[in-house]
């Protein structure tokens, strides 16, 4: 189970050519209460076939960051670029997303 506490913000501007530019971001602190990533599982149809799954222990506290921009044109086309990151003492996880979309 994870608890997050933070803030989101976005701001839109209308560009003189009729398109809309939207900047957005999120900053949060997350606390994970899972201390034992082991799980004992079994199949309902085969109750005798049970097994254990072990995972990596997640960090208890981490920082979450998101920043991005979306540009929506009047003809139904929009472009988005976004950065997501999770930062802990033990690891860094980050990803970038780019999207080109047409809606009619």
């Amino acid at each position: 189970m994870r608890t997050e506490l933070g803030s989101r913000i976005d701001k839109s501007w209308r560009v003189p050519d009729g398109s809309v530019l939207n900047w957005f971001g999120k900053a949060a602190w997350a606390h994970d209460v899972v201390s034992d990533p082991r799980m004992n599982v079994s199949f309902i149809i085969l109750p005798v076939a049970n097994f254990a799954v072990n995972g990596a222990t997640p960090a208890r506290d981490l920082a979450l960051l998101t920043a991005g921009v979306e540009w929506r044109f009047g003809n139904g086309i929009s472009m988005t670029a976004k950065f997501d990151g999770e930062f802990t003492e033990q690891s860094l996880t980050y990803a970038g997303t780019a999207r080109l979309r047409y809606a009619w």
Side-chain angles (χ1 to χ4, degrees):
M1 187 168 76
R2 176 192 259 188
T3 302
E4 294 182 11
L5 177 64
S7 181
R8 290 177 178 254
I9 189 167
D10 65 38
K11 176 67 178 163
S12 295
W13 289 277
R14 185 162 299 279
V15 182
D17 66 358
S19 61
V20 176
L21 189 62
N22 182 35
W23 291 88
F24 56 91
K26 175 180 94 168
W29 166 76
H31 180 74
D32 202 341
V33 295
V34 173
S35 60
D36 185 9
R38 253 181 313 171
M39 184 184 311
N40 293 319
V41 294
S42 65
F43 295 108
I44 295 172
I45 296 173
L46 301 169
V48 180
N50 55 356
F51 54 95
V53 176
N54 295 313
T57 304
R60 288 203 172 272
D61 296 306
L62 55 136
L64 305 173
L65 295 175
T66 298
V69 62
E70 179 184 29
W71 196 355
R72 286 178 274 156
F73 300 98
N75 58 3
I77 295 175
S78 65
M79 296 185 302
T80 305
K82 183 174 79 160
F83 167 82
D84 291 303
E86 290 187 359
F87 306 98
T88 71
E89 291 180 2
Q90 295 92 2
S91 66
L92 301 173
T93 304
Y94 46 91
T97 304
R99 179 178 72 190
L100 177 63
R101 181 177 174 183
Y102 177 71
W104 61 94

